[in-house]
Amino acid sequence: MNLKELYQEIILDHGKNPRNLRRTENFNKDAKGHNPLCGDKVHIYLKLNENKKIEDISFEGQGCAISMASASIMTDLVKGKEEHEVKEIVSDFLDMIKEKDELSNNILHKDDKTKLMCLSGVKQYPMRVKCATLSWHTLTSAINNSQEEINNESN
Ligand code: ZN
């Protein structure tokens, strides 16, 4: 099996059987994302603990195989990570999908980086890049706009 076939296999697997496709109970951060060009919709739920670590992450949504696979792989990889690590992974992934050939973060293991590199094939298709990045932008917005903050304002 060559690398391209391996990449396609992983995307198909995650697209057909998305991991973490559910709603986290007691989530404290969430955000919705929509990609009108393709019709992809995603709702990300996060449970961040007091140490700013992602205790649980899940998503609900529907869309093309790329958008579902991307959300599935992303939720798998950032679970258990700390907020600052997640931010680094997100920006590394977005740089890679837009212009870089490789990932440069030192947080993810080699196997996990391979899973992310599966999505690098979309680079040649600008419309598809939006499918692949939707859940990542939505994760960033979930982290930045927490329900906690809204509650704090009303207190
Ligand atoms: Zn799509």
Side-chain angles (χ1 to χ4, degrees), residues 86-104:
V86 173
K87 286 183 176 170
E88 193 178 331
I89 293 168
V90 171
S91 74
D92 193 22
F93 173 78
L94 292 176
D95 285 348
M96 183 278 286
I97 212 85
K98 283 171 199 154
E99 58 210 18
K100 286 195 310 186
D101 291 332
E102 285 174 36
L103 295 161
S104 58

Side-chain angles (χ1 to χ4, degrees), residues 35 38 40 64 67 128 131:
N35 172 22
C38 180
D40 309 314
C64 65
S67 68
R128 289 282 151 195
C131 301

